[in-house]
Amino acid sequence: MLKHLYIKNFTLIDELDIELHRGFSVITGETGAGKSIILGAIGLLLGQRADSKSIKSGADKCVIEAHFDLSNYAMEAFFDENEIEFDAEDTIVRRELTAAGKSRSFINDTPVSLSMLKELGEQLVDIHSQHQNLLLQKQDFQLNVVDIIANDQKELMTYQQTFSQLSTLNSQLLQMKEDIERNRQNQDFLQFQYEELESAKLTDGEQEELEQQSETMEHAEDIKTALYEADNALAADESGAVSRVHTALYSLKSICHVMPNATELAERLDSCHIELKDIANEVSSMLEKTEFDPSELDHINARLDKIYELEKKYHADTIGELIIRRDELKQQLQGIENSDEALQELQQQIDQLSKQATKQANELTKLRQQAATQIEEQLRQRLVPLGMPNVRFEVNVKKGELNKTGQDAVSFLFSANTSTPLQPVSLVASGGEIARVMLSLKAMISGAVKLPTIVFDEIDTGVSGKIAEKMAEMMQEMGRQERQVISITHLPQIAALGSHHYRVSKEETPQGTTSRMQELTDQQRIGEIAQMLSGSNVTEAAIANAKQLLKM
């Protein structure tokens, strides 16, 4: 439950610091006093989008902070999953907005994303405003109500996993059929491309080797001349480098016994002589092997031209890419040949999953039909005391095609009297009737989901007198079930039944218009309710009536 609310510099509120209580509380105040501002601040704590214009004029930053007692709501798993410290008796949620448009969110002083704040907020507070009555027009809301009462979340999740797999396979089947049809139309062309690449007998690395051979052969005469000259310089009988080094080596060796320093030089020159002989032999061998064959060069260049042509045609940069394309074509052709088998196999998987999904959807339908009966009975029990003695309410669960929520379309049918046929509630119920239906639904849902705090923003629209009192009693009963219920109201019959009463007022200060909220004492409550009964001129009769409503 929400036990403490602090607001600073938010629209007309300069600073609000107030304690809230368990059970049923009411908030009253004149139109425009700032009740909606307080709801707006709470909405920001629940993850709604922020607007820097919400910051009080002249302030740099606004802060909204709430303390919650979650002792009875088993919510520790959320904090564990998100690695946030958990304090069941004092969970702190804070939102900060700056005039520069920046927003920061915290849970127990841990910075969190807006989506995480919203995820927690949905588990903490439900704000029911008048526009939410429009939800009765939406089938997904009606289905959600049935699912909550059916407590079928586990079965629904299992079904949705199956349906997701089924949808994926159906998409694959459609894509496969399109691919096969397209490939069959192009089969002859694909076959031609494959045979062209296959007949080329491509080898990875071949292009680089051929290009090197071509380069070498095109310079064969230059290479042979250079090798001849090198061979002659190294290996000529008398003037060659090998012979002359050998002569120098013999000369040094002849004086080693009389000149010890010559020994080291002789050894070094001996190594050079051995290396020169080896180089001379290799040069001579290369010279003998270097032959220029014009026909071989033509063959190499023809092969390269074919490779270049294929690369250009297939938008490839290397033979490796051509090989990949060839293998892809082979797989496509094999796929065409085996397409009927692949289609049959995928269709069998789809049929199997479809049966499984249908079975799971039927189980959901069964649970929903049971819940529908329960909802019908509970709604009648709640609506009759609210001034609808002849009310008829039916939850129509109609089976259809499989979809992400199952196979059921849910519609709420309503009639306030015996002479009017059942029709969709949004078409035939008046504003006051819709308010009573929504309150009854909320009372029923809150018992199933155990929300800590429920706020009703003028749900009493269109009702008055005894009916309003009965609505207040229903909210009072909700507040006794380990839950906090807060009603913003203009009706004294509802205000009088709150265990705690807060008044929102607006006043002019030197700094501008400011909204205030205060918890009323018993005596102040009498005055507030008397004013709600009689207007600005509070009469003795109104005060007496207020005391009677308050049972004082």
Side-chain angles (χ1 to χ4, degrees):
M1 57 161 270
L2 175 59
K3 62 180 186 176
H4 187 93
L5 180 64
Y6 177 79
I7 304 172
K8 185 175 180 62
N9 296 330
F10 183 70
T11 64
L12 297 181
I13 299 174
D14 52 5
E15 188 169 34
L16 171 67
D17 193 358
I18 197 160
E19 300 290 332
L20 294 145
H21 306 278
R22 192 179 300 277
F24 178 43
S25 300
V26 296
I27 300 175
T28 60
E30 295 180 0
T31 300
K35 299 185 294 297
S36 61
I37 295 174
I38 294 169
L39 282 184
I42 295 175
L44 288 179
L45 281 177
L46 305 182
Q48 292 180 5
R49 290 289 175 183
D51 186 345
S52 59
K53 295 179 181 178
S54 299
I55 300 175
K56 188 174 178 64
S57 178
D60 295 328
K61 181 174 75 170
C62 84
V63 177
I64 305 163
E65 182 175 288
H67 293 243
F68 291 87
D69 183 348
L70 306 179
S71 302
N72 299 317
Y73 299 100
M75 294 178 62
E76 189 170 1
F78 171 87
F79 294 83
D80 290 342
E81 290 170 6
N82 294 289
E83 299 181 349
I84 299 173
E85 183 180 352
F86 180 60
D87 185 341
E89 295 183 356
D90 189 26
T91 292
I92 305 171
V93 179
R94 186 169 78 256
R95 186 90 180 268
E96 298 179 358
L97 308 178
T98 68
K102 293 184 178 180
S103 170
R104 297 196 302 167
S105 306
F106 303 86
I107 300 174
N108 288 339
D109 289 329
T110 299
V112 298
S113 64
L114 191 61
S115 60
M116 188 181 298
L117 187 69
K118 186 174 182 180
E119 182 182 351
L120 177 62
E122 289 173 349
Q123 302 176 59
L124 295 178
V125 182
D126 175 32
I127 298 179
H128 180 92
S129 56
Q130 291 183 56
H131 76 269
Q132 276 197 308
N133 290 338
L134 298 175
L135 290 173
L136 277 178
Q137 300 176 9
K138 300 181 180 297
Q139 285 196 340
D140 55 350
F141 169 76
Q142 298 175 17
L143 177 61
N144 189 43
V145 170
V146 173
D147 282 335
I148 288 172
I149 302 304
N151 193 25
D152 60 9
Q153 286 74 27
K154 182 178 178 182
E155 290 80 4
L156 179 58
M157 184 178 295
T158 300
Y159 165 79
Q160 288 177 332
Q161 290 172 346
T162 303
F163 182 76
S164 176
Q165 295 173 12
L166 180 61
S167 298
T168 300
L169 289 185
N170 276 321
S171 297
Q172 290 177 0
L173 180 65
L174 180 62
Q175 186 64 49
M176 182 182 290
K177 287 180 178 179
E178 292 176 355
D179 291 344
I180 290 171
E181 179 62 27
R182 183 172 58 253
N183 287 340
R184 280 179 174 165
Q185 292 175 357
N186 298 328
Q187 186 172 7
D188 291 343
F189 180 60
L190 295 174
Q191 186 69 40
F192 168 78
Q193 287 185 315
Y194 171 71
E195 289 176 356
E196 182 178 44
L197 291 173
E198 175 65 18
S199 63
K201 304 298 181 185
L202 300 168
T203 304
D204 202 8
E206 176 187 9
Q207 179 178 342
E208 292 78 6
E209 183 178 347
L210 290 173
E211 287 172 341
Q212 181 59 53
Q213 291 178 5
S214 175
E215 180 75 12
T216 300
M217 294 185 72
E218 285 178 355
H219 296 83
E221 291 299 327
D222 294 337
I223 292 171
K224 192 161 187 175
T225 298
L227 289 174
Y228 175 79
E229 291 176 351
D231 180 63
N232 188 55
L234 288 169
D237 290 340
E238 297 294 334
S239 61
V242 174
S243 176
R244 299 186 70 176
V245 169
H246 180 266
T247 301
L249 175 61
Y250 180 80
S251 298
L252 287 173
K253 283 184 176 181
S254 67
I255 61 173
C256 286
H257 66 285
V258 294
M259 187 179 182
N261 291 343
T263 302
E264 181 183 352
L265 293 174
E267 290 175 351
R268 290 168 62 189
L269 197 57
D270 189 29
S271 296
C272 292
H273 181 249
I274 294 171
E275 183 68 12
L276 275 174
K277 285 175 62 179
D278 186 56
I279 292 172
N281 290 334
E282 287 192 30
V283 169
S284 178
S285 177
M286 290 172 66
L287 179 61
E288 291 177 3
K289 293 177 181 178
T290 301
E291 297 292 338
F292 175 65
D293 184 351
S295 63
E296 178 66 18
L297 179 60
D298 290 342
H299 174 75
I300 289 172
N301 287 335
R303 178 63 173 170
L304 283 172
D305 288 342
K306 179 64 175 177
I307 292 172
Y308 296 150
E309 178 187 350
L310 290 173
E311 287 176 342
K312 182 178 180 181
K313 183 175 182 179
Y314 291 97
H315 306 289
D317 294 323
T318 64
I319 285 181
E321 293 179 15
L322 288 174
I323 292 172
I324 291 173
R325 178 58 182 153
R326 178 198 67 195
D327 294 343
E328 288 175 347
L329 288 166
K330 183 177 181 180
Q331 288 181 352
Q332 283 181 278
L333 290 168
Q334 289 176 342
I336 295 173
E337 294 175 3
N338 302 325
S339 59
D340 291 339
E341 294 178 10
L343 279 174
Q344 184 178 3
E345 181 180 347
L346 185 55
Q347 187 62 59
Q348 287 175 349
Q349 295 179 40
I350 289 172
D351 292 342
Q352 183 178 355
L353 265 181
S354 182
K355 290 178 182 178
Q356 183 178 341
T358 300
K359 181 179 178 181
Q360 292 169 348
N362 286 335
E363 180 62 26
L364 276 173
T365 300
K366 181 180 177 181
L367 293 172
R368 286 165 174 167
Q369 289 172 340
Q370 293 171 354
T373 302
Q374 182 181 346
I375 292 169
E376 291 168 354
E377 182 59 32
Q378 287 195 29
L379 260 291
R380 279 191 292 268
Q381 290 176 4
R382 294 178 185 277
L383 290 172
V384 168
L386 296 180
M388 300 184 190
N390 299 314
V391 68
R392 287 180 293 156
F393 191 92
E394 181 179 306
V395 180
N396 185 20
V397 182
K398 185 177 180 180
K399 291 175 65 173
E401 298 294 326
L402 294 179
N403 57 68
K404 63 181 181 180
T405 59
Q407 60 186 352
D408 306 311
V410 171
S411 58
F412 290 168
L413 305 180
F414 173 85
S415 174
N417 51 67
T418 55
S419 61
T420 304
L422 286 164
Q423 294 187 56
V425 62
S426 60
L427 298 180
V428 296
S430 66
E433 288 168 344
I434 286 179
R436 282 173 273 177
V437 170
M438 284 300 292
L439 175 61
S440 299
L441 285 173
K442 289 281 184 175
M444 184 175 57
I445 292 171
S446 66
V449 299
K450 294 185 178 179
L451 273 168
T453 300
I454 301 175
V455 180
F456 291 107
D457 182 15
E458 299 185 7
I459 197 171
D460 48 44
T461 300
V463 299
S464 59
K466 194 68 176 176
I467 303 304
E469 185 178 346
K470 292 295 183 182
M471 292 177 71
E473 289 174 354
M474 187 177 293
M475 288 185 275
Q476 201 176 45
E477 179 61 30
M478 292 169 63
R480 296 192 189 104
Q481 299 172 2
E482 290 297 330
R483 153 178 328 103
Q484 180 185 47
V485 179
I486 301 172
S487 176
I488 297 174
T489 182
H490 288 293
L491 296 180
Q493 293 87 352
I494 291 179
L497 290 184
S499 301
H500 301 273
H501 190 155
Y502 300 86
R503 178 176 60 202
V504 177
S505 59
K506 186 167 62 176
E507 61 182 65
E508 297 296 331
T509 69
Q511 290 74 36
T513 304
T514 301
S515 285
R516 298 274 187 257
M517 179 176 173
Q518 67 175 125
E519 184 174 0
L520 302 181
T521 64
D522 289 344
Q523 194 63 36
Q524 288 170 329
R525 288 190 72 181
I526 294 173
E528 177 72 5
I529 292 175
Q531 188 173 19
M532 294 172 73
L533 286 165
S534 64
S536 57
N537 295 321
V538 178
T539 64
E540 290 298 326
I543 291 175
N545 195 2
K547 289 181 178 179
Q548 185 178 4
L549 287 174
L550 289 165
K551 296 181 173 57
M552 289 185 177

